Amino acid sequence: MKLWNLALSNMKGSRSSIISLFFMIMIASILLNVSLTIAIKMNTFFDNKFEQLQEPNINLLLDRSDEQQVYYDYIKQDPRVAASEREAVIWAAGRFSYGENDMSIGIAVQQAEQDRQLSPIKLVEQSSEPEVTNGIYVPYDFKLNAGYQLGDSFTLHIDDQSFHYTIAGFFESAMMGMHNTGILKFYLPEEQFIKLEEHTADHGVLYSIKLQDSGQITGFLNDFTGEFPDPPGRSASAPLFTTLDSDIVKSVGSMTINIITMILMAFALVIIAVALIVIQFRVSNHITEGMNNIGVLKALGYTSYQVMLSILLQFVIITLSAGVLGAAISYLVLPVFGSVVTTLSGLLWSKSFLPLINLISIALILLLIVLVVVMSSLRIFRLPPVVALRGGIITHNFKKNRFPLDKAKGPLQLLLACKTTLTNMKQNLMISVIVTAITFASVFSVVLYYNIGKDKTAFIHLVGAETSNIMLQITDAADYEQILTSLEQMEHMTKVAVLDMTSMKVDGQSFYMNMSDDYSKLNNQLVYEGRYPKYDNEIAVSWVVASALNKTIGDMVEVEAGELKSNYLITGLSQSISNLGQMTYITVSGAKQVLPHYEGTLLNLYIEGVDNTSFIQQLKAQFGHDITNIIDVTDTIQSQSKIYTSAVFTVMVTVLVITFLVVVLILYLVIKKMILQRKKELGVLRSLGYTTFQLMSQISLSFLPVVVLSVLLGGGLGAIYTNPLLSVLLTGAGVRNVQFIINIPLILFVCIALILLSYVISFLVSYGIKKITTRRLMIEE
Amino acid sequence: MSDSLIVTEKLCKTYSSGGNQQHVLKNLDLTLQNGDFTVIMGASGSGKSTLLYALSGMDQPTLGSIIVNNQNISKLNQDQLALFRRKHCGFIFQHINLLDHMSVLDNILASGLLVSRDKKNVVKRAKELLLKVGLLEKDWGKFPSQLSGGEAQRVGIVRALINRPQIVFADEPTGALNSSSSDAVLDILSSFNEHGQSIVMVTHDLKTALRGNRVLYLRDGVICGDLSLDSYYNNNREQRQHQLQAFLNEMGW
């Protein structure tokens, strides 16, 4: 009880610093609870969703005309398959309005009323009107990211035909429910479905396969495509089977969420570190200032352990109350990040109460704080009462009179501020560490936002997309050479590059294979070590593939497509987030070793001085018969990257707001303490005739050098280490070498804003001295 | 004959605490003359220091006015008071109050350079004054913690005089010093007073009070005695001591 009283009396004397500490621990608790909850729930989020929505592990799509009975028979007879379904669908390259842009993507249109065991339609919202004319059911992602509402009109463009519908409902689906996996599905009522089927030639079949064990996906797909390879002469960009599996869906859906979670967690740790530094500072000050009291307590018979416990107890009280409140508030904040998860995955985030995570978060923070308090108060044990009663051993170690006023150049206020700065080195070190850390975090988040929200080139390259303007798919029958020459001669055309993708076996394992006539033409140079292949016996592989094959640059690999095999020399290692980072690259001439009839069919066009839409019209007019599909790449990238922009924006705002709060809290804490400690000195200066403004300027200026240096240090570290740190964070996603644009003016802007903010905050907090009269400043301790 | 330096009219100072009001100064009408060495005496709690701080613009009166050089300082705000103090006043404190993290010279220049931008002359004057109070060049770079009490108070005096103030206010300047240091400090003050420096000093020490040529006695916030004495340098010290002793006895000291 007496310790409790001592702890309470300790707390009474320093209300403002306790409040700021309380807020800091609360913020740390909120961040830690949110990030841990998301991290732990994300582990099972997709698996639970797949279970809940009865999703298959694999979707296989093919043209109905290509279907053979043996395909589905094979699936049904495979012992690894737990359940399967076959369904007639419309399988086409579709285009529609998505947000402010158009999106071109592979679409599978299914019949809404059909009975399904796998992936039954699960509507999140549906029109209350019993019969919607021309109704269509679209993924929930369309509401979240494209702004569609029930009853909105929706136009689907397939093969130059436009089909007009009204949105009758939004459904939730893990497979083909999110555009970032490259395929989207829609549902049409029977009547509309039949009508669409009559008007298009894109009749397809969808196989949905549920395996006994989701770990068998790769094995099953390898065996299936091995059993039924693409027939010779088939265009590489239009394989027989288009596949989508749950591993890809999880990987694509969780990548950004994982990055966000990691950033939040890292930031929570930064805040905890800040709180720990502040506590260390406070305990240390408490002991120094309360030395006499400690002496009295010891003289009265309190043991060192009891004195330390009385100090510890106050921090335990603060931590527990702030930690619990933070955990409670995290439940209010979680929906914000839940909606980010929903935005990125297209799947609904459900609220849940996770007391164990809350307990772990609070216990973690408490443990760290107890450790710091105990470490900082160990010197109490070394203090005999008599020494403590004498105020401890205070040695004045003024080796040098810094900034002597008779010699130093500069305004008096500045010189006095410099003296103060050098006198409070310990405190300055604390501020320096904190400001450096939060500047780094701010720069990191701003760089992230700049690259994902503003200049997206580096991010798009990271994802693996080629940033051409238009993608043109030509028919197999077209004269490739002639079209290529004509294209290159078109006005506004800067370059044309072939970039096809298919699936091939490399040393017996299936991987995605890129094929280009000249990789040096591509804007997105993904090889980070060595080089892209130049000759027909060369290959570049991603480091994920290299690791899987246990090969590296200079080794040979065997590539197999259908019945033909050939050996290639690895010339480079690449990185890519897409397709789980499993990428390989050969030249068009190299591809002919295993696909003798192969000609490039997917052409990337790079134009200048003309808008994409009018150029597309021009292409249609000139090459109409030879084209199977045209994609406005700029538009597609713009619409697809929107979801990342909003997610990263949320993170950036969170980090910046917390940075602001931390700067305010820290400066408030330190300056309040400083005013208390320097009360007498400030009183003397006032008696000498210094005005409140001059004293406020002096206090603010005294923080400026350390703030400026720390902000510049944090900014510099942010500029240098954001890419390496992102590379580490994204290793699991297939990235080794992130090359985000480090926008120096933007970083400088953040740094200057932080410096100004610190100065203004210092100035405002030090305004508190105005309320104290000169005499009170001097006589009150 | 000296002219008026400070005039107070109906000067009141009241402190409020927890609903209780304590009237420390009550309707004081007082005139202090230029060039005087005025000593304020009284028992503990009589309002000596409160009067000193009010006269010097360190604290604001509750009621009444304080006119210094025809300027009513009781109407000034904190910052205007600061400007007033730096121009017209010098302070010497009982606990000296040097700035710990500054050297001897910097402690003086922190005040001197606040008023004058002529650094060369301010530094020159500071050094001259330091030599005058017996602090040699070897001491100028020292920090307050490296000085004796007497030395520190001499620095305090130089700091108070650096801006050539019209009035030096001293709040028990020898209260924390030993006998020899006290004498040295008082000698310095007397010597400056002899050269025309107005000084207002609070003390409860008879020997210290003897340095003044006017002694005011305060009781319960009211001036109940006002004694004029010959100058300290008029060689009639014994007579002055008798006069003061009699005055204080009359005041019930």
Side-chain angles (χ1 to χ4, degrees):
Chain A
M1 190 61 197
K2 50 195 176 184
L3 286 180
W4 176 262
N5 288 339
L6 268 180
L8 287 182
S9 70
N10 283 344
M11 289 168 78
K12 271 180 199 160
S14 45
R15 203 170 303 149
S16 59
S17 67
I18 283 172
I19 291 170
S20 28
L21 197 60
F22 181 91
F23 272 106
M24 226 167 324
I25 295 172
M26 192 183 76
I27 292 170
S29 170
I30 294 171
L31 284 174
L32 202 59
N33 274 288
V34 167
S35 51
L36 273 178
T37 304
I38 294 178
I40 286 173
K41 275 187 81 172
M42 278 311 290
N43 254 345
T44 53
F45 178 69
F46 279 99
D47 289 333
N48 291 343
K49 279 288 170 188
F50 270 79
E51 195 68 35
Q52 181 197 338
L53 300 168
Q54 294 163 262
E55 296 285 9
N57 298 106
I58 301 168
N59 276 143
L60 289 173
L61 281 150
L62 72 158
D63 287 341
R64 220 175 292 166
S65 56
D66 291 329
E67 190 188 22
Q68 292 177 23
Q69 184 61 40
V70 284
Y71 299 157
Y72 194 52
D73 287 346
Y74 179 95
I75 294 167
K76 282 198 291 186
Q77 283 158 17
D78 194 301
R80 290 169 289 190
V81 175
S84 66
E85 275 177 349
R86 177 197 174 278
E87 187 178 344
V89 295
I90 315 285
W91 169 225
R95 185 166 59 81
F96 45 83
S97 176
Y98 185 88
E100 288 159 6
N101 308 95
D102 271 5
M103 182 182 281
S104 302
I105 196 168
I107 58 163
V109 183
Q110 296 176 257
Q111 200 185 310
E113 293 88 347
Q114 189 159 326
D115 217 16
R116 291 180 195 87
Q117 294 277 308
L118 296 174
S119 202
I121 182 167
K122 194 218 162 196
L123 292 173
V124 179
E125 269 182 49
Q126 79 181 105
S127 178
S128 51
E129 289 176 36
E131 281 290 317
V132 178
T133 328
N134 288 340
I136 187 168
Y137 299 97
V138 299
Y140 189 48
D141 163 52
F142 280 54
K143 182 184 167 90
L144 295 171
N145 297 314
Y148 280 108
Q149 299 295 329
L150 288 175
D152 282 359
S153 56
F154 180 77
T155 304
L156 196 57
H157 305 277
I158 301 173
D159 301 337
D160 282 339
Q161 293 186 82
S162 300
F163 301 92
H164 304 285
Y165 301 103
T166 302
I167 293 181
F170 296 100
F171 64 84
E172 185 186 13
S173 177
M175 295 291 274
M176 301 194 289
M178 195 65 191
H179 61 69
N180 52 14
T181 54
I183 311 167
L184 274 177
K185 65 180 172 186
F186 297 95
Y187 291 101
L188 284 176
E190 189 180 8
E191 193 188 332
Q192 299 298 331
F193 182 82
I194 293 168
K195 215 188 238 175
L196 183 65
E197 209 169 28
E198 282 169 6
H199 285 84
T200 63
D202 302 303
H203 301 162
V205 178
L206 168 70
Y207 297 147
S208 301
I209 303 159
K210 175 97 178 161
L211 297 174
Q212 306 278 5
D213 174 3
S214 59
Q216 296 168 325
I217 293 172
T218 313
F220 176 84
L221 281 174
N222 275 342
D223 292 347
F224 185 81
T225 50
E227 186 72 24
F228 307 113
D230 278 1
R234 192 175 175 95
S235 163
S237 57
L240 179 60
F241 294 102
T242 299
T243 60
L244 180 67
D245 65 67
S246 50
D247 285 347
I248 296 274
V249 171
K250 284 181 206 172
S251 152
V252 171
S254 57
M255 180 193 75
T256 316
I257 301 166
N258 288 341
I259 296 172
I260 290 172
T261 312
M262 276 188 269
I263 292 171
L264 287 178
M265 215 180 294
F267 204 55
L269 294 177
V270 168
I271 302 293
I272 294 171
V274 168
L276 293 178
I277 295 169
V278 171
I279 288 169
Q280 199 278 332
F281 173 69
R282 212 177 110 63
V283 173
S284 205
N285 268 334
H286 179 83
I287 294 170
T288 310
E289 286 163 16
M291 195 68 84
N292 204 44
N293 294 343
I294 292 170
V296 172
L297 288 174
K298 283 192 168 187
L300 291 175
Y302 280 83
T303 63
S304 300
Y305 177 74
Q306 284 174 313
V307 176
M308 189 197 74
L309 222 55
S310 75
I311 296 172
L312 180 63
L313 199 57
Q314 60 173 315
F315 292 104
V316 170
I317 295 168
I318 299 168
T319 307
L320 282 178
S321 46
V324 169
L325 187 65
I329 294 174
S330 74
Y331 284 99
L332 299 175
V333 179
L334 261 170
V336 176
F337 289 96
S339 70
V340 170
V341 173
T342 304
T343 305
L344 290 167
S345 65
L347 300 169
L348 291 171
W349 176 268
S350 56
K351 285 178 200 165
S352 48
F353 178 55
L354 297 166
L356 189 65
I357 291 176
N358 304 144
L359 280 176
I360 290 170
S361 306
I362 297 166
L364 182 71
I365 299 173
L366 188 64
L367 180 76
L368 290 171
I369 285 175
V370 167
L371 267 176
V372 167
V373 174
V374 170
M375 301 280 282
S376 318
S377 51
L378 279 179
R379 67 176 160 135
I380 292 173
F381 289 84
R382 296 193 294 267
L383 273 177
V386 67
V387 175
L389 277 168
R390 280 189 204 132
I393 302 158
I394 299 160
T395 50
H396 291 279
N397 189 20
F398 298 115
K399 283 180 183 160
K400 205 173 171 191
N401 180 28
R402 306 274 178 184
F403 298 99
L405 297 180
D406 55 329
K407 294 192 180 95
K409 300 260 183 271
L412 182 63
Q413 298 304 318
L414 187 67
L415 295 177
L416 291 178
C418 291
K419 277 179 179 287
T420 311
T421 305
L422 290 172
T423 316
N424 301 303
M425 283 312 281
K426 198 174 170 189
Q427 173 185 285
N428 288 332
L429 196 68
M430 174 191 87
I431 296 174
S432 174
V433 171
I434 293 168
V435 174
T436 305
I438 56 174
T439 308
F440 180 85
S442 305
V443 168
F444 182 84
S445 68
V446 169
V447 167
L448 208 61
Y449 178 69
Y450 179 80
N451 281 274
I452 298 176
K454 294 286 171 197
D455 185 347
K456 298 172 184 168
T457 321
F459 173 66
I460 290 157
H461 285 176
L462 191 70
V463 173
E466 173 59 15
T467 48
S468 59
N469 299 98
I470 292 163
M471 233 194 284
L472 190 70
Q473 191 173 7
I474 55 174
T475 60
D476 292 342
D479 186 339
Y480 164 74
E481 293 295 339
Q482 196 197 335
I483 290 177
L484 197 62
T485 314
S486 308
L487 284 169
E488 281 169 345
Q489 285 168 357
M490 281 178 82
E491 200 186 345
H492 304 297
M493 184 72 75
T494 57
K495 56 183 177 181
V496 180
V498 174
L499 184 61
D500 268 328
M501 192 168 79
T502 187
S503 174
M504 287 189 192
K505 279 187 176 171
V506 180
D507 278 359
Q509 295 185 39
S510 265
F511 296 111
Y512 289 96
M513 177 68 78
N514 287 282
M515 295 163 291
S516 176
D517 55 341
D518 182 358
Y519 284 100
S520 68
K521 284 188 195 167
L522 303 178
N523 286 346
N524 191 4
Q525 296 289 311
L526 294 164
V527 169
Y528 65 91
E529 197 180 324
R531 62 165 174 80
Y532 273 112
K534 277 186 187 167
Y535 306 105
D536 61 5
N537 63 340
E538 292 179 345
I539 188 169
V541 298
S542 66
W543 67 271
V544 175
V545 171
S547 307
L549 302 176
N550 200 20
K551 294 276 170 77
T552 187
I553 295 171
D555 291 340
M556 297 296 288
V557 287
E558 186 188 66
V559 174
E560 189 182 343
E563 289 168 358
L564 292 177
K565 294 177 181 177
S566 189
N567 289 319
Y568 297 81
L569 175 75
I570 299 176
T571 57
L573 295 177
S574 75
Q575 57 174 359
S576 170
I577 287 178
S578 56
N579 303 100
L580 302 172
Q582 297 175 352
M583 283 291 179
T584 56
Y585 310 82
I586 50 175
T587 59
V588 169
S589 55
K592 286 184 177 176
Q593 309 279 338
V594 283
L595 296 169
H597 302 287
Y598 169 71
E599 295 283 0
T601 55
L602 200 58
L603 305 174
N604 281 280
L605 313 183
Y606 305 80
I607 54 174
E608 224 174 61
V610 63
D611 66 283
N612 290 7
T613 316
S614 47
F615 199 80
I616 286 171
Q617 293 307 320
Q618 209 180 321
L619 286 171
K620 280 181 180 167
Q622 199 169 336
F623 305 100
H625 294 294
D626 298 321
I627 297 172
T628 57
N629 194 17
I630 300 182
I631 295 169
D632 185 334
V633 179
T634 316
D635 234 18
T636 305
I637 285 176
Q638 200 65 29
S639 56
Q640 294 201 1
S641 58
K642 207 180 144 197
I643 52 165
Y644 302 106
T645 308
S646 60
V648 176
F649 184 73
T650 310
V651 173
M652 184 189 72
V653 169
T654 309
V655 170
L656 291 182
V657 166
I658 293 172
T659 297
F660 173 82
L661 285 176
V662 169
V663 168
V664 172
L665 287 177
I666 288 293
L667 289 175
Y668 177 77
L669 195 80
V670 170
I671 293 173
K672 275 275 177 190
K673 193 94 200 157
M674 184 193 233
I675 291 173
L676 279 174
Q677 280 174 341
R678 293 180 57 203
K679 214 167 198 179
K680 196 168 150 191
E681 183 192 330
L682 291 168
V684 172
L685 288 170
R686 263 203 163 172
S687 71
L688 295 179
Y690 282 81
T691 62
T692 304
F693 182 81
Q694 284 176 319
L695 293 179
M696 283 164 72
S697 301
Q698 228 182 81
I699 291 173
S700 316
L701 280 172
S702 72
F703 287 103
L704 210 54
V706 71
V707 168
V708 170
L709 283 176
S710 314
V711 164
L712 292 180
L713 181 66
L717 289 174
I720 296 166
Y721 288 108
T722 293
N723 277 327
L725 183 64
L726 270 172
S727 304
V728 172
L729 290 175
L730 291 171
T731 305
V735 176
R736 271 290 168 89
N737 183 17
V738 177
Q739 290 293 343
F740 271 7
I741 300 162
I742 304 297
N743 188 311
I744 299 295
L746 185 69
I747 292 175
L748 278 177
F749 175 78
V750 172
C751 291
I752 291 168
L754 267 173
I755 291 169
L756 286 177
L757 172 76
S758 308
Y759 187 76
V760 171
I761 299 293
S762 327
F763 200 77
L764 291 178
V765 177
S766 53
Y767 188 73
I769 61 169
K770 191 178 170 67
K771 292 175 198 157
I772 313 166
T773 65
T774 314
R775 198 177 165 210
R776 277 180 63 198
L777 267 177
M778 286 183 57
I779 58 174
E780 278 184 15
E781 280 299 319
Chain B
M1 189 64 197
S2 49
D3 49 338
S4 298
L5 179 64
I6 303 175
V7 178
T8 70
E9 286 169 8
K10 308 278 181 219
L11 180 64
C12 295
K13 181 72 188 178
T14 303
Y15 291 113
S16 302
S17 173
N20 295 324
Q21 290 207 318
Q22 193 189 353
H23 304 287
V24 184
L25 299 177
K26 299 169 187 164
N27 292 318
L28 289 188
D29 291 327
L30 176 70
T31 302
L32 300 183
Q33 305 298 332
N34 219 337
D36 271 5
F37 192 144
T38 308
V39 175
I40 303 170
M41 294 189 80
S44 284
S46 59
K48 306 185 293 285
S49 293
T50 304
L51 176 60
L52 186 85
Y53 286 118
L55 294 177
S56 61
M58 288 265 263
D59 205 357
Q60 285 159 313
T62 312
L63 282 172
S65 61
I66 304 163
I67 316 286
V68 183
N69 281 342
N70 298 321
Q71 186 187 10
N72 187 350
I73 66 163
S74 56
K75 303 285 180 203
L76 301 182
N77 63 26
Q78 288 289 342
D79 284 344
Q80 289 166 329
L81 282 173
L83 294 174
F84 161 77
R85 286 195 298 271
R86 77 165 74 145
K87 269 188 181 175
H88 304 287
C89 310
F91 293 94
I92 302 165
F93 304 98
Q94 179 182 2
H95 296 295
I96 308 165
N97 289 335
L98 294 182
L99 301 170
D100 294 342
H101 61 291
M102 290 192 196
S103 68
V104 163
L105 190 56
D106 280 1
N107 259 287
I108 296 155
L109 295 179
S111 179
L113 293 174
L114 189 63
V115 173
S116 168
R117 288 193 179 176
D118 185 353
K119 187 184 262 190
K120 206 175 149 189
N121 270 329
V122 175
V123 173
K124 192 175 159 219
R125 176 167 162 79
K127 289 177 178 176
E128 281 170 2
L129 285 170
L130 281 167
L131 289 171
K132 210 167 182 177
V133 300
L135 287 168
L136 304 177
E137 193 170 349
K138 65 179 171 61
D139 301 317
W140 300 350
K142 286 181 179 172
F143 287 90
S145 59
Q146 295 165 310
L147 301 174
S148 69
E151 285 172 328
Q153 192 57 295
R154 280 185 268 165
V155 178
I157 293 171
V158 174
R159 183 177 65 181
L161 294 168
I162 185 73
N163 293 326
R164 295 187 174 87
Q166 279 182 294
I167 326 150
V168 168
F169 293 94
D171 188 3
E172 304 204 30
T174 55
L177 304 180
N178 61 30
S179 173
S180 62
S181 295
S182 295
D183 288 345
V185 164
L186 291 171
D187 284 348
I188 294 166
L189 288 177
S190 298
S191 127
F192 278 102
N193 176 243
E194 200 191 4
H195 289 92
Q197 177 66 58
S198 307
I199 297 173
V200 180
M201 177 173 74
V202 165
T203 186
H204 56 257
D205 177 50
L206 179 74
K207 207 172 145 198
T208 305
L210 268 174
R211 301 287 178 146
N213 64 327
R214 184 180 179 193
V215 181
L216 300 172
Y217 195 88
L218 225 63
R219 188 187 296 137
D220 295 331
V222 177
I223 294 173
C224 54
D226 188 344
L227 173 72
S228 289
L229 292 168
D230 279 347
S231 167
Y232 180 69
Y233 289 97
N234 278 356
N235 279 332
N236 51 355
R237 291 187 186 170
E238 214 165 300
Q239 187 194 337
R240 294 174 82 253
Q241 190 166 348
H242 283 304
Q243 261 185 292
L244 181 59
Q245 189 71 61
F247 169 73
L248 291 175
N249 286 343
E250 193 183 326
M251 292 294 118
W253 192 60

